[in-house]
Amino acid sequence: MPLKRYGADCALLVVDVQNSFCPGGELAVPGGDEVAPLINHLSLLFENVVLTQDWHPAGHISFASSHAGVRPFQSVDLPYGPQTLWPDHCVAGSPGADFHPELETAHARLIVRKGIHAKVDSYSAFVEADRATTTGLAGCLNALGVKKVWLAGLATDFCVAWSAIDARAAGLETFVVEDACRAIDINGSLIEAWAQMRQAGVKRLRSDEV
């Protein structure tokens, strides 16, 4: 029996399945590489597949190395609000910024690069951390006629969650495929992220329900 395919009004949004976030990377998410085969399978169900890439310039403001006297995972206040500081990761053009080699990318309709501005971070695939600068993804999906999105990738409690919440704010029916994501989970961030997604109207499911 052929695989079910979702139509033009649906999209799979694959978030940041990049080397920096997988085992051996600078900001490895536990089990991050495990999502690639499942996402490859899910991609077969969708006419529209969108991939996102963290794509930071060297010296990005979210890097702990850009701030004196602080360490990764500490937080600082920036003009747009609190910012968790990270190890240098996903530097534009570096091997860490490449998609994981097991992730199939040839079928992607669109690749969205985020975090490209040196002075503002971007967890979300839709709106950067200043909550004003957009990536253009919402407009593109609207132009394609997309009404529903399914999200998978890394990390559940940061880029996936922010993207899902902003997808709802853009008026999209939104689902997060829990077993096709992995989390960092810093100080209860995973529980908090799921609570925020639920409050925003994001639906939580597993891959066998897609």
Side-chain angles (χ1 to χ4, degrees):
M1 186 171 66
L3 289 171
K4 177 181 178 181
R5 290 189 63 87
Y6 289 92
D9 65 337
C10 300
L12 177 67
L13 182 55
V14 180
V15 179
D16 297 359
V17 184
Q18 296 168 262
N19 290 328
S20 283
F21 298 129
C22 291
E26 303 91 338
L27 186 51
V29 178
D33 56 335
E34 297 170 359
V35 303
L38 184 51
I39 289 173
N40 292 340
H41 175 73
L42 291 172
S43 295
L44 299 175
L45 307 178
F46 288 86
E47 182 175 326
N48 296 309
V49 177
V50 178
L51 309 178
T52 76
Q53 266 181 308
D54 247 14
W55 198 256
H56 298 309
H60 192 262
I61 201 166
S62 71
F63 295 167
S65 63
S66 299
H67 304 264
V70 298
R71 292 173 297 184
F73 309 109
Q74 290 183 318
S75 182
V76 297
D77 290 325
L78 295 178
Y80 55 82
Q83 171 70 55
T84 300
L85 298 178
W86 308 105
D88 291 23
H89 67 280
C90 295
V91 175
S94 73
D98 290 342
F99 292 116
H100 189 275
E102 292 184 13
L103 183 71
E104 296 175 5
T105 62
H107 55 277
R109 179 133 191 201
L110 180 68
I111 296 174
V112 176
R113 287 175 170 170
K114 59 190 182 66
I116 62 173
H117 298 109
K119 297 300 183 184
V120 60
D121 203 7
S122 184
Y123 297 138
S124 171
F126 291 88
V127 185
E128 297 191 359
D130 61 3
R131 312 312 295 157
T133 305
T134 68
T135 66
L137 178 56
C140 185
L141 293 178
N142 182 62
L144 292 172
V146 171
K147 306 296 184 186
K148 303 177 183 179
V149 292
W150 284 252
L151 287 90
L154 308 172
T156 316
D157 42 342
F158 286 91
C159 295
V160 172
W162 284 56
S163 297
I165 291 166
D166 284 346
R168 286 292 301 131
L172 298 164
E173 188 174 358
T174 305
F175 306 84
V176 170
V177 188
E178 181 177 8
D179 55 327
C181 303
R182 294 293 185 274
I184 299 174
D185 200 11
I186 301 172
N187 300 323
S189 57
L190 181 59
I191 291 175
E192 182 179 355
W194 279 120
Q196 291 174 346
M197 286 190 278
R198 183 171 59 251
Q199 185 175 13
V202 174
K203 299 173 183 176
R204 179 178 181 175
L205 44 67
R206 295 185 59 82
S207 56
D208 58 4
E209 300 175 283
V210 176

